[in-house]
Amino acid sequence: MKKLITHYEIFSMILLMILTLTSGCSAFTSKPLPQSSFNIVGKEQSYEAKIFSYAWGLKTEYGKSSAVGTQYDTVTVPAKSKLKISFNPPPKKYGNVHEIFGEDITESKTIEDYSTGITVPDKPGTYTYNYNATWDEGGVAYVIRIKVEE
């Protein structure tokens, strides 16, 4: 059965290509992909974000399915808590965070500035966030999924 490419996947691919071209990436890099994690503000524990797609030097990998369909752990968080995203190493340029609605990614909300933390919804449910960043070597897109509980 053929899988149709979603609008979100096309958007992610184009965005990563543009970010890679404009970042002056080094085609011959041996540096590993940067990691991203998040923590719940006020809590010590950190959680790894899932790499969804990247263009890193000569290597390119696009998400095999929609970000919502990507397999990774869901982290349970209290309602109205704040998530703080971090990178290792810090990026040259930060992208926007998108809160994705629905399983087919037909709708998303852009969270323009997440430097002070992302406030999670107060309504219980599962939420998916996609974000990206660029370094001299290229760009990487990440996905996190949370389950909000009261």
Side-chain angles (χ1 to χ4, degrees):
M1 177 192 285
K2 286 188 175 181
K3 176 168 173 27
L4 296 176
I5 296 176
T6 65
H7 294 282
Y8 182 75
E9 290 171 315
I10 293 169
F11 172 76
S12 291
M13 288 180 221
I14 292 170
L15 179 64
L16 279 174
M17 286 188 279
I18 290 169
L19 291 174
T20 301
L21 292 173
T22 59
S23 70
C25 71
S26 170
F28 302 104
T29 183
S30 61
K31 291 183 180 178
L33 287 170
Q35 299 300 305
S36 179
S37 59
F38 68 97
N39 69 304
I40 302 165
V41 175
K43 307 261 182 176
E44 301 263 339
Q45 188 170 359
S46 179
Y47 304 93
E48 285 293 316
K50 172 82 173 175
I51 293 176
F52 174 61
S53 59
Y54 61 86
W56 193 252
L58 292 176
K59 301 176 200 166
T60 302
E61 174 71 33
Y62 299 111
K64 294 179 177 67
S65 62
S66 69
V68 174
T70 302
Q71 297 300 313
Y72 51 92
D73 294 334
T74 300
V75 177
T76 301
V77 301
K80 295 186 181 179
S81 57
K82 277 196 169 195
L83 305 180
K84 183 74 172 166
I85 295 173
S86 58
F87 298 91
N88 185 17
K92 183 176 182 179
K93 183 177 176 185
Y94 296 86
N96 291 331
V97 175
H98 301 275
E99 183 179 349
I100 302 165
F101 305 109
E103 290 296 318
D104 59 358
I105 311 184
T106 55
E107 257 186 88
S108 70
K109 173 177 77 173
T110 301
I111 302 167
E112 295 293 334
D113 180 16
Y114 59 95
S115 59
T116 58
I118 301 167
T119 303
V120 303
D122 57 356
K123 182 180 175 185
T126 302
Y127 299 86
T128 303
Y129 297 91
N130 174 271
Y131 59 97
N132 60 66
T134 57
W135 292 259
D136 287 336
E137 298 78 13
V140 182
Y142 303 89
V143 177
I144 58 176
R145 182 176 291 154
I146 61 167
K147 181 177 181 183
V148 174
E149 288 188 343
E150 291 186 54

